[in-house]
Amino acid sequence: MAIIKLSAIERRRLSAFVTCLVLAIFAWLFTSLSNPYKYTVRQAVHFRNAPQKRAFHPLQADTVNAIVQGTGWQMLFSKINEDKKVIDVDLRTLDTRNYVVLSAQLRQINAKREVGREIIAITPDTLFFDFSSRTVKRVPVEPVIAINYQKQFAQSGDVSIKPRYVTISGPAEALSRIRTWKTDSIKINDANEDFNGRINLQGAKEGNLNIVPKNVSVNIPIDEYTEKTIEVPVKLINNHNYYDVRVFPQKVKVTLTTSLGNFPDLNEDDFEAVADLELWRHSGYSMLPVKVTRLPSYSKVVKIEPRNIDFIIKK
């Protein structure tokens, strides 16, 4: 391939031509993008001023297509980074009718938007709603807990929530599907002490539900855990024929982890260890395994010694 050799003057002329061409393209692009354009942006709808005496259900999706008047630059950036702003729709007119006309609210919608990025039309322009009688229901609060504990620490008691119940009002059909109401996530890392705080409840996914109160007080007891060994008598179960049975040993050593707060008060009365005689009658077991069927809350059995016991049956 032949190589074109340019003189110094020709190289300067070519460089000047390329520079002018690039500047011309940028000038044309800048001018074009500065002109006004109409473009469509998909936006979520947020309802406000919902009627208090009428339960409603929207008959269309919770997003609309907004036709925006703006510059080419604004259109370009709206495509690169979608506009995350929502459109606030006032529902006060639902007190007397079952639809809302969005074009009638364009002035108040645009009042919250940036200058030069006004919405000139919305599709669909009219939102329709289905109405039903408004009912009230009380449901328990369900805490959402995501806690990572420090080594040897753990939850040591039941979670306390005040108030324990929330009141929900809305359409009977929607309320029939609700059994509990969740809180926002309670996230803690390296927890080593009790948690006490006021936690918001999760927002309603349907705009026609009202929840009271909006937040609750949550207490999560957290304590350090340690091991303790207690001797527990073995109880024989399923002795349906009332055999005279003796077990050896009569007590087993139960090693468990428990919180430091519960440690001093634990005794054998807090436990129940059983051996099932049915395993001998139906399965021919020569030794009976021991199971702990009752122990203090938030405690965990580490081991039982011995795990299996001997027995003698006198007929």
Side-chain angles (χ1 to χ4, degrees):
M1 179 182 291
I3 299 176
I4 300 175
K5 294 184 178 180
L6 300 176
S7 64
I9 295 176
E10 289 174 329
R11 285 198 299 271
R12 285 197 296 271
R13 288 176 179 175
L14 180 60
S15 176
F17 171 78
V18 171
T19 301
C20 291
L21 179 61
V22 170
L23 291 175
I25 292 173
F26 273 105
W28 171 82
L29 187 62
F30 180 83
T31 303
S32 297
L33 291 177
S34 298
N35 292 329
Y37 292 92
K38 296 178 183 178
Y39 56 95
T40 301
V41 178
R42 195 156 187 82
Q43 294 193 307
V45 175
H46 175 258
F47 299 128
R48 60 187 182 88
N49 296 326
Q52 295 301 310
K53 297 181 180 180
R54 304 183 75 192
F56 64 91
H57 174 70
L59 297 178
Q60 53 277 309
D62 59 357
T63 57
V64 293
N65 290 320
I67 301 174
V68 181
Q69 177 81 51
T71 65
W73 292 105
Q74 292 168 331
M75 179 179 66
L76 177 63
F77 288 119
S78 71
K79 299 299 181 184
I80 296 174
N81 183 23
E82 292 186 0
D83 195 349
K84 296 181 180 180
K85 291 184 179 179
V86 298
I87 294 178
D88 282 331
V89 176
D90 195 326
L91 300 183
R92 274 180 284 197
T93 56
L94 292 185
D95 287 325
T96 56
R97 58 193 185 193
N98 67 343
Y99 63 90
V100 172
V101 180
L102 299 182
S103 57
Q105 300 186 22
L106 280 181
R107 178 176 295 179
Q108 61 194 66
I109 290 173
N110 284 323
K112 297 182 178 181
R113 297 180 63 85
E114 297 177 19
V115 177
R117 194 181 285 191
E118 288 83 10
I119 294 175
I120 60 175
I122 300 175
T123 305
D125 181 53
T126 304
L127 303 182
F128 292 91
F129 298 83
D130 178 37
F131 290 90
S132 61
S133 59
R134 196 169 185 87
T135 58
V136 177
K137 183 177 183 180
R138 290 179 75 242
V139 296
V141 176
E142 179 183 346
V144 179
I145 300 173
I147 299 179
N148 292 319
Y149 297 95
Q150 228 177 68
K151 188 177 180 180
Q152 292 188 301
F153 283 83
Q155 183 178 332
S156 60
D158 294 335
V159 177
S160 172
I161 303 174
K162 295 181 181 180
R164 188 70 185 87
Y165 289 81
V166 292
T167 301
I168 308 172
S169 59
E173 180 183 358
L175 264 61
S176 66
R177 300 190 296 267
I178 299 173
R179 296 290 179 268
T180 63
W181 199 270
K182 294 182 178 181
T183 66
D184 286 343
S185 294
I186 302 172
K187 296 181 180 180
I188 310 173
N189 288 320
D190 294 328
N192 60 6
E193 61 182 1
D194 293 353
F195 170 82
N196 291 283
R198 196 129 194 111
I199 305 299
N200 290 330
L201 299 177
Q202 292 185 5
K205 295 180 181 178
E206 301 177 59
N208 51 352
L209 293 180
N210 187 45
I211 301 97
V212 178
K214 302 295 184 184
N215 51 61
V216 293
S217 177
V218 178
N219 170 260
I220 304 174
I222 298 172
D223 200 354
E224 187 174 358
Y225 273 65
T226 187
E227 285 192 358
K228 184 171 186 175
T229 300
I230 295 179
E231 286 194 337
V232 180
V234 178
K235 176 182 177 183
L236 194 68
I237 60 173
N238 292 327
N239 186 5
H240 301 299
N241 294 327
Y242 301 103
Y243 294 119
D244 183 6
V245 184
R246 293 187 178 182
V247 297
F248 304 96
Q250 294 182 346
K251 289 186 175 184
V252 293
K253 292 182 179 180
V254 177
T255 302
L256 71 153
T257 57
T258 187
S259 67
L260 289 178
N262 291 333
F263 188 92
D265 301 324
L266 289 183
N267 57 61
E268 66 177 46
D269 295 333
D270 298 313
F271 298 81
E272 183 175 76
V274 301
D276 190 351
L277 198 61
E278 286 284 339
L279 297 175
W280 165 73
R281 292 182 67 247
H282 292 292
S283 304
Y285 277 46
S286 60
M287 298 185 73
L288 300 178
V290 178
K291 292 183 178 180
V292 175
T293 56
R294 189 183 77 241
L295 72 160
S297 300
Y298 300 95
S299 297
K300 183 179 179 181
V301 174
V302 177
K303 62 181 177 180
I304 303 172
E305 292 181 322
R307 188 75 197 183
N308 300 288
I309 60 171
D310 292 312
F311 62 98
I312 297 176
I313 299 175
K314 293 183 178 182
K315 296 184 179 180

